[in-house]
Amino acid sequence: MLSRLPPDVQQRLDELLEHLPAGVVVHDKDGRILSANRLASRLLDRSVAALIGTESDPSHWSFVQDDGSPMPESDYPVNQVLRTGKPLSHYVVGLRREGRGIIRWMICNAYPERDPHGTLERVVVCFTDCTALKRAQRKAQKSEERLELVLRGSTDASWDWNLRTGEVYYSERWWDVLGYAPGAMPTEPETAMRLIHPDDEPRVRAFVRQLLAEPRDSYSIEFRMRHQDGHYLPVLSRGYVSRDPDGRPLRMSGTNTDLTERKENEQRIYELAYFDPLTGLSNRRYLMEQLGASLARARRLDEYAALLFIDLDNFKLLNDTLGHDVGDELLKQVAARLRTTLRASDHLSRLGGDEFVVVLEDLGLCPDEAAAETKGVATKILHALGQPFELGPHTASTSPSIGITLFDGAPTDIDTLLKQADLAMYRAKAEGRNTACFFEASMQFAADRQAALESSLRTGLAEQEFVLYCQPQFGRDGLLNGAEALLRWDRGALGMVPPGEFIGLAEASGLIAPLGRHVLEQSCRLLARWRHNPALKGLKLAVNVSVHQMRDPTFPDTVAEVLAHTGAPPHCLTLEITESVFAENLPELIERMYRLRRLGVQFALDDFGTGYSSLAYLRRFPLTALKIDRSFVHDAHTDRSAAAIVEAIVTLARKLDLDIVAEGVELDAQRRFLNTCGCDALQGYLLGQPMPAAQFERRYGHPAGVA
Ligand code: C2E
Ligand code: CA
Ligand code: CA
């Protein structure tokens, strides 16, 4: 068709044309088709032969406009070029094939071909199928329209911003949430922006800018908006950006949700999780997180911080005697006083019970100064909590014991810090309470030693390393009338450990229960055996009982059971208790003692004169003997006041019909004095050392055993 070209070039061009992914139709100057390539024939649904020589052919195909209406024939691409003589580019037409009703969308480019004189000879029209693109565009438009409908009909606080026109729509509810009548302000994007909290506004603007620039569609962001009454409410804005097929944003729409209630719930949940409902202070969980943060901060700044562990000295007693309501009130007031004593930046938590923890940060780089500053805070706390508390009708006094540990950038962990402060707190208690102690490495050594001792105590119990010694007691007539069972820990190569070194630990670790039972069992076995020896028959054996054992409601049953299965005569068993048991719940204790007395068991009050109990107490307990403490015995023969005390105790015991035992008799002068006073029994190194039970039996187990 382009006949001026050499034939071989022409042939190659024709082939190329045939395979071009566009329909190409060449018209003559009257609009009739001269040639069409393969794709053109497919698009027009007519064979090339049938096409040639025709103009447009409405019985087979026609063009429609963008909106689907028929296109006037004069607007057909070929006719436009013929009329204007100018090329036509990117002209979108719909091609309808009659009978099929299908419209394919085409982008048309058409241009005129002229002869050397400039006369229009032909028009070449190229079609490219853009149906898929057109459909996508349609769909986007449809959903956009639908969205607009949804938003405007919605009862949500919704809004819709047409980015092309700049017009914004705010729903009625949108205004309502912010306390305004609909349309109270201009409907423009700035209206919403102006209501955003000034602290949030730059962030929101940046967010919107970025959102529109990014190929991202849905979004959600939280910020605060000003209500008409002036307060700010937390808002969650969610929505999306619709875009044209090229990704250019068309509109941005969404809904705003008022988060006030959710935030309040979140706050409540947070408070429940992290705060102590009684005092309103943060709880253990919060403290752990806080300590982690403080530790990291100290490390980062390489500055000192301090952990103070505060324990009230007599809280348990107060709580038990005045009742839990009063105890709670005390804790509340303690919390309030601590709060006013501390700076706002100090962290205060209640660990539980009567334990409070304070964390001080930013104590500087110098350990001495950090210690001095912490000491100052501790002193203030001691003073604040040392003042009496008004608890309804009661006035109560308490005092704290404070353990302190300092920490800085050195590697450690939260558990270690808490343990250190706890150890220091126990030291403060040991130093007489109402004081503050700093943690020292030696405390850790002591604690480690204790832990090791506790574990060997456990194995020692299992391995039967605990043995009974017996120390004889003699009556006024100088005859043996009993013995005291004294416990020893036989650690083999490590030697014999006296009870003073392990009873306290056994009590603290709970091992006193099995240990006490072991002593009771061994003692009762001895008593049962002695029944069959005329020299030992009827001797009393005094067994030391810890306050922890007396506190146990099942203790009388244990004693009854051991007596029964060993066959020991109950009236030969004396339980030695100390005045410390009287700090317990008295009615229950007395009831327990009476149950034991009914079994036949007797009670001696050990170390008498060293405790605090009033003499009036003595009448309330079913005691059978008093043991004068060896400190009075020690001085009685030389010191007039010690002598007077011994005499007074003996007189008192007579009046109360109690036996008197004097212990720690080391000198003959002491023995003479005690005898003149009228003591019923004497015990001490002068008369007999504590010795293994077997040795005691060998030594005294023959007729007329005397001192
Ligand atoms: P305690 O009940 O006051 O026991 C008397 C202590 O004085 C014993 O010390 C005994 O060896 C010692 N003693 C005896 N005569 C003299 C003397 O003439 N001069 C001096 N200076 N001391 C004398 P021990 O055996 O070391 O016991 C110490 C404490 O350990 C006992 O004091 C008792 O409170 C406790 N204890 C001993 N055995 C047991 C036990 O089986 N259970 C319980 N819970 N505590 C026990
Ligand atoms: Ca004793
Ligand atoms: Ca004693």
Side-chain angles (χ1 to χ4, degrees):
M1 64 190 170
L2 300 171
S3 49
R4 277 163 301 225
L5 292 172
D8 58 329
V9 177
Q10 180 65 50
Q11 192 187 345
R12 294 250 313 273
L13 261 181
D14 286 349
E15 262 172 39
L16 194 72
L17 208 57
E18 276 303 295
H19 295 98
L20 214 61
V24 181
V25 179
V26 182
H27 298 261
D28 68 11
K29 60 181 189 310
D30 300 319
R32 276 190 298 271
I33 293 174
L34 288 174
S35 69
N37 71 353
R38 192 155 38 181
L39 192 61
S41 129
R42 267 232 320 274
L43 283 170
L44 299 176
D45 202 21
R46 304 282 283 153
S47 69
V48 176
L51 283 172
I52 287 179
T54 62
E55 292 178 45
S56 64
D57 183 359
S59 63
H60 273 98
W61 57 267
S62 61
F63 287 129
V64 299
Q65 310 191 77
D66 203 15
D67 60 1
S69 61
M71 182 179 277
E73 223 163 306
S74 57
D75 281 352
Y76 282 18
V78 57
N79 295 338
Q80 285 195 46
V81 176
L82 287 172
R83 190 172 65 243
T84 62
K86 288 187 184 138
L88 188 67
S89 69
H90 288 96
Y91 186 54
V92 178
V93 296
L95 175 71
R96 189 202 307 278
R97 292 182 299 199
E98 291 313 316
R100 293 195 161 193
I102 300 169
I103 294 177
R104 299 207 64 81
W105 292 96
M106 311 279 187
I107 295 175
C108 286
N109 289 293
Y111 61 92
E113 271 190 357
R114 300 175 186 280
D115 67 11
H117 311 292
T119 312
L120 193 149
E121 272 194 325
R122 288 178 284 258
V123 175
V124 181
V125 183
C126 304
F127 306 94
T128 321
D129 191 318
C130 68
T131 309
L133 192 67
K134 184 82 182 167
R135 281 201 187 126
Q137 207 171 21
R138 264 283 154 80
K139 211 161 125 195
Q141 207 175 343
K142 278 253 173 65
S143 67
E144 201 191 326
E145 282 160 9
R146 218 169 321 151
L147 176 73
E148 192 176 332
L149 276 176
V150 167
L151 285 174
R152 298 195 177 206
S154 142
T155 51
D156 285 343
S158 57
W159 55 276
D160 173 39
W161 176 16
N162 187 325
L163 293 160
R164 282 171 305 191
T165 63
E167 190 196 344
V168 185
Y169 160 82
Y170 297 113
S171 76
E172 249 180 62
R173 180 82 187 117
W174 189 92
W175 294 102
D176 190 38
V177 163
L178 297 169
Y180 291 97
M185 273 177 278
T187 46
E188 54 176 26
E190 273 306 302
T191 300
M193 284 297 179
R194 272 199 302 272
L195 293 176
I196 291 175
H197 194 289
D199 290 351
D200 295 341
E201 193 194 317
R203 180 172 56 90
V204 177
R205 283 190 191 275
F207 180 83
V208 173
R209 256 196 317 274
Q210 196 172 357
L211 180 70
L212 295 178
E214 275 176 358
R216 188 155 64 100
D217 290 340
S218 62
Y219 75 88
S220 100
I221 182 173
E222 277 186 41
F223 48 83
R224 289 160 293 177
M225 288 187 95
R226 197 177 61 240
H227 189 272
Q228 200 241 333
D229 69 12
H231 87 279
Y232 282 91
L233 47 114
V235 165
L236 170 67
S237 177
R238 276 177 303 192
Y240 78 99
V241 181
S242 47
R243 299 175 191 273
D244 69 11
D246 293 328
R248 280 184 295 262
L250 297 174
R251 55 203 317 148
M252 201 177 149
S253 5
T255 57
N256 287 0
T257 311
D258 178 0
L259 295 181
T260 308
E261 200 175 321
R262 193 194 304 175
K263 289 273 174 204
E264 279 169 5
N265 285 339
E266 277 171 10
Q267 181 66 20
R268 254 197 302 279
I269 289 167
Y270 174 78
E271 279 172 10
L272 281 178
Y274 285 106
F275 289 87
D276 162 36
L278 179 68
T279 60
L281 299 183
S282 56
N283 63 12
R284 173 184 288 272
R285 189 158 150 198
Y286 187 92
L287 172 72
M288 293 305 167
E289 289 182 14
Q290 181 52 53
L291 256 182
S294 300
L295 200 59
R297 185 181 164 82
R299 209 167 278 162
R300 198 171 60 246
L301 303 176
D302 202 20
E303 283 207 325
Y304 276 92
L307 173 64
L308 287 79
F309 209 106
I310 305 167
D311 186 278
L312 301 183
D313 289 331
N314 52 352
F315 179 73
K316 191 179 161 355
L317 189 67
L318 243 148
N319 205 33
D320 288 349
T321 50
L322 298 181
H324 291 252
D325 289 347
V326 178
D328 283 356
E329 181 55 31
L330 175 67
L331 291 175
K332 270 195 243 178
Q333 293 190 19
V334 165
R337 284 191 196 177
L338 283 173
R339 230 186 318 229
T340 50
T341 308
L342 297 167
R343 298 172 306 184
S345 58
D346 301 333
H347 306 285
L348 171 63
S349 308
R350 177 175 168 232
L351 271 196
D354 57 342
E355 293 175 342
F356 295 86
V357 166
V358 173
V359 180
L360 307 176
E361 287 183 334
D362 304 334
L363 297 176
L365 303 169
C366 164
D368 291 344
E369 282 169 18
E373 197 173 331
T374 310
K375 181 90 198 174
V377 173
T379 307
K380 272 196 219 157
I381 294 175
L382 286 168
H383 178 76
L385 300 189
Q387 312 303 310
F389 289 84
E390 299 297 332
L391 307 167
H394 310 280
T395 302
S397 292
T398 182
S399 58
S401 291
I402 306 177
I404 305 169
T405 188
L406 292 178
F407 56 97
D408 61 353
T412 182
D413 58 58
I414 298 174
D415 282 345
T416 308
L417 290 178
L418 283 171
K419 270 192 206 125
Q420 291 179 347
D422 197 43
L423 281 172
M425 191 272 288
Y426 275 100
R427 170 64 64 85
K429 288 225 186 273
E431 287 189 359
R433 309 177 158 207
N434 194 21
T435 186
C437 275
F438 279 86
F439 170 78
E440 289 160 16
S442 61
M443 296 178 191
Q444 191 63 54
F445 294 139
D448 292 347
R449 230 187 26 234
Q450 286 243 320
L453 196 63
E454 188 184 316
S455 106
S456 43
L457 203 68
R458 232 172 264 277
T459 46
L461 197 60
E463 312 262 308
Q464 312 259 315
E465 290 174 5
F466 291 92
V467 293
L468 275 198
Y469 273 43
C470 290
Q471 185 176 28
Q473 295 174 343
F474 298 91
R476 258 190 288 191
D477 51 10
L479 294 179
L480 179 76
N481 68 0
E484 179 173 5
L486 293 163
L487 192 58
R488 297 287 178 268
W489 183 5
D490 184 357
R491 299 196 70 186
L494 291 173
M496 199 62 88
V497 186
E501 288 180 26
F502 63 83
I503 292 291
L505 184 59
E507 287 177 337
S509 63
L511 282 171
I512 192 68
L515 195 58
R517 179 167 172 126
H518 174 75
V519 170
L520 195 66
E521 184 99 26
Q522 298 306 311
S523 301
C524 286
R525 281 188 200 289
L526 281 180
L527 280 174
R529 204 154 61 218
W530 292 353
R531 287 176 82 169
H532 307 296
N533 183 327
L536 301 175
K537 189 176 173 177
L539 285 187
K540 288 191 173 136
L541 185 60
V543 173
N544 293 284
V545 172
S546 148
V547 55
H548 292 259
Q549 289 170 278
M550 284 308 290
R551 217 180 261 166
D552 177 4
T554 67
F555 182 59
D557 302 325
T558 307
V559 175
E561 192 247 309
V562 172
L563 283 170
H565 84 251
T566 54
H571 63 274
C572 290
L573 178 66
T574 302
L575 300 180
E576 287 195 1
I577 57 175
T578 55
E579 285 161 293
S580 58
V581 300
F582 300 155
E584 298 305 299
N585 185 334
L586 286 185
E588 281 182 25
L589 174 76
I590 292 170
E591 210 277 315
R592 222 168 283 152
M593 285 177 74
Y594 271 104
R595 273 175 66 199
L596 286 159
R597 287 288 284 124
R598 282 196 293 274
L599 293 173
V601 173
Q602 313 212 326
F603 279 104
L605 190 57
D606 206 354
D607 304 339
F608 186 68
T610 57
Y612 315 94
S613 62
S614 83
L615 295 178
Y617 265 15
L618 288 180
R619 288 175 50 198
R620 299 179 56 190
F621 301 98
L623 296 168
T624 41
L626 290 185
K627 272 185 103 165
I628 304 176
D629 189 68
R630 59 172 185 276
S631 57
F632 304 116
V633 170
H634 189 264
D635 300 333
H637 66 292
T638 52
D639 182 272
R640 287 172 60 94
S641 60
I645 290 173
V646 172
E647 281 163 352
I649 293 175
V650 174
T651 312
L652 175 79
R654 287 278 160 273
K655 288 255 188 310
L656 294 172
D657 201 19
L658 298 171
D659 281 347
I660 285 287
V661 184
E663 63 178 354
V665 186
E666 296 179 352
L667 304 169
D668 202 48
Q670 293 165 341
R671 176 171 64 166
R672 282 200 304 274
F673 172 77
L674 294 163
N675 272 336
T676 15
C677 284
C679 282
D680 299 294
L682 303 183
Q683 177 187 349
Y685 294 163
L686 176 72
L687 309 158
Q689 297 271 343
M691 62 193 85
Q695 189 184 333
F696 180 90
E697 287 175 327
R698 276 199 303 279
R699 172 107 175 249
Y700 299 103
H702 54 80
V706 288

